Each structure stands twice: as structure tokens, then as C-alpha cells.
Amino acid sequence: MAQSQSQSQSQSQSNQISIEKYRDKAAGYDASAEFTMPLRRRTVALLQLQPGQTVLDVGAGTGLSYPLLRDGVGPTGRVLAFEQSPEMFEVARLRVQREGWTDVWHINQAAETVVLPQPADAVLFNYTHDICRTPLAVDNLMRQVRPGARVAMAGIKFFPWWAGPLNLLAWLKNRPYNARPADLWQPWSLVAAYCDDFRWSGTQWGMGYIASGTRKADPQR
Ligand SMILES: C[S@@+](CC[C@H](N)C(=O)[O-])C[C@H]1O[C@@H](n2cnc3c(N)ncnc32)[C@H](O)[C@@H]1O
């Protein structure tokens, strides 16, 4: 996907805003995300992982999903992951080193440019709003995912329009973590365009969503 110079400048500004937002969150991230574990398990379950598969963890943060993904693909499978924040990635790197996991390939890189060592059979977008709202990032990733691959997502969305004022809450909750806190009506839409059988449902009383689909067969969409 070709980008003009001004598009690529504003893209790298968004990346930088996100990197700054996560600079001081890395150390406390795992504790703050503890309450998300049940939803994380549900989202990973939607991937229907099989032994021997290669699964991609998009914007993997501190690697909190690695144990669930490793369990899903078993000893013959592989976890691929990337994360652009140096501080978040360092926590993930130390986790992998501490556990001695040789079946995790991960890299400190952005979704817009990352090149995977092999195509993925399944892909997890867990609370990766900025990536999901960036066409260049979604395109780069979905081109490296096999046709027929399971895709699962979870994140924050706006409440339905009739719950209007409550959306201030969604915006406020999203703002500390994301460069595009207002783009919450259909956060899954760019990913859904690459999928067949895409389905979403509300979580957290309407302020969250969980979704899944299957990567379309046509690599051009
Ligand atoms: C809310 S955290 C979620 C982390 C992880 N997916 C999880 O479930 O715990 C969002 C992560 O996306 C990363 N991120 C945001 N934009 C990115 C981009 N363009 N490329 C790679 N990572 C990005 C952030 O640095 C952050 O670690």
C-alpha cells in the first residue's frame, strides 16, 4: 500500500505518541491487566488453535498472552509476536528469557513494517486499537496471515449511540493507551474487511467487544 510523504509523517507521529504513552506503563502493565485474563482466555479460545500451528500475537505488549498461545499450539507449534514500545517489549523479552521459551519468535518493531519469519495460521489482536485503526498496519499483517487463518480480536468500543454521554467514559478510558481515542464506533472494521464469517459481540456492558473471523482466501481482498 503506497503512502504519501505526509501520510507517512503523520503515521510515524502516531507511532511516537503511542510509544510515549507506554513508556511508563510497562512496569505496572501485568498487574493492571490482571482483570483482563478471563476475556483474554475467551479471545484466545476463538482462535481454535491446533497443535503445530504458528500463531501471531499482534502488538504483544509484555507478552501476557504468550503462555495461552503456547498452550494452544503445543510443543510443535510456534508463537510469533511484535511490539513497538521498547519498554513493553523489554518485559516480554525478559519473560521469554526467564522461562527459556525457544518456540517464541518476537521482535521490537511496528505493525506497519514488521516482516514475519513465516506466515501465521492464526492471529490475535488483543487490545491493539491503534494497530486495528491503521490501514497500512492491518494490510501489512493480513498479507502475512494464511488464507483460512482464524482471526480473533478484543478491545474497547463506544456504547451504542443512544447511550451518548457514557461514551465520554469510553473515550477517557481509551485515551491513556491510544493515539486515536475517538475512533471507537467500529474498531474492528479494517480487520473485518480481510475476513469471512466475521462476528462481533459486546462485552463490559457495551463498552468492549470480542470478535472473530477467518482470513479471506483472496490475498487482495
Ligand atoms: C493495550 S496494549 C495490549 C498489549 C497486548 N496485546 C495485551 O493483550 O496485553 C497495546 C499495545 O500495542 C502496542 N502498539 C501500539 N501501536 C503499535 C504499532 N503500530 N506497532 C506495534 N505495536 C503497537 C503498544 O505499544 C502496546 O504495547
Side-chain angles (χ1 to χ4, degrees):
M1 187 179 277
Q3 261 200 320
S4 71
Q5 201 182 358
S6 68
Q7 275 175 325
S8 91
Q9 271 168 357
S10 94
Q11 183 55 56
S12 68
Q13 270 170 8
S14 297
N15 290 76
Q16 210 44 50
I17 290 170
S18 175
I19 287 170
E20 291 307 326
K21 282 182 185 283
Y22 279 92
R23 234 182 251 300
D24 59 0
K25 289 195 176 57
Y29 185 84
D30 287 8
S32 72
E34 188 59 41
F35 78 101
T36 67
M37 290 315 278
L39 181 60
R40 192 182 295 270
R41 278 190 210 96
R42 276 177 63 197
T43 316
V44 171
L46 288 172
L47 292 173
Q48 300 168 4
L49 293 173
Q50 304 295 320
Q53 282 189 325
T54 296
V55 58
L56 171 62
D57 191 359
V58 169
T62 61
L64 257 187
S65 295
Y66 292 176
L68 297 174
L69 298 175
R70 290 185 69 250
D71 280 354
V73 298
T76 56
R78 199 173 185 204
V79 176
L80 310 180
F82 65 87
E83 165 54 49
Q84 77 174 358
S85 149
E87 289 79 10
M88 296 289 274
F89 182 73
E90 181 59 8
V91 178
R93 193 190 68 75
L94 290 173
R95 185 191 304 277
V96 170
Q97 187 183 61
R98 188 175 63 241
E99 301 292 344
W101 292 332
T102 54
D103 52 0
V104 177
W105 174 95
H106 63 173
I107 190 164
N108 182 201
Q109 227 175 57
E112 292 79 1
T113 52
V114 69
V115 177
L116 303 179
Q118 66 194 86
D121 303 310
V123 53
L124 175 69
F125 291 85
N126 197 52
Y127 282 78
T128 52
H129 180 73
D130 282 340
I131 298 174
C132 295
R133 297 317 299 160
T134 306
L136 184 66
V138 173
D139 191 64
N140 181 42
L141 299 175
M142 294 309 263
R143 283 178 188 281
Q144 301 183 67
V145 171
R146 286 189 205 286
R150 292 286 298 162
V151 177
M153 310 175 73
I156 290 186
K157 68 169 185 63
F158 275 146
F159 291 99
W161 63 268
W162 45 261
L166 279 178
N167 284 326
L168 181 61
L169 180 65
W171 182 83
L172 284 171
K173 211 160 161 32
N174 204 30
R175 199 170 63 132
Y177 297 94
N178 296 307
R180 296 176 181 81
D183 190 6
L184 285 170
W185 287 111
Q186 290 200 316
W188 53 81
S189 65
L190 296 178
V191 174
Y194 288 80
C195 295
D196 287 323
D197 303 323
F198 193 88
R199 292 191 175 90
W200 70 270
S201 58
T203 61
Q204 294 144 301
W205 307 281
M207 199 175 75
Y209 71 92
I210 184 166
S212 65
T214 303
R215 172 71 171 96
K216 277 184 184 167
D218 173 13
Q220 300 303 318
R221 287 188 286 157

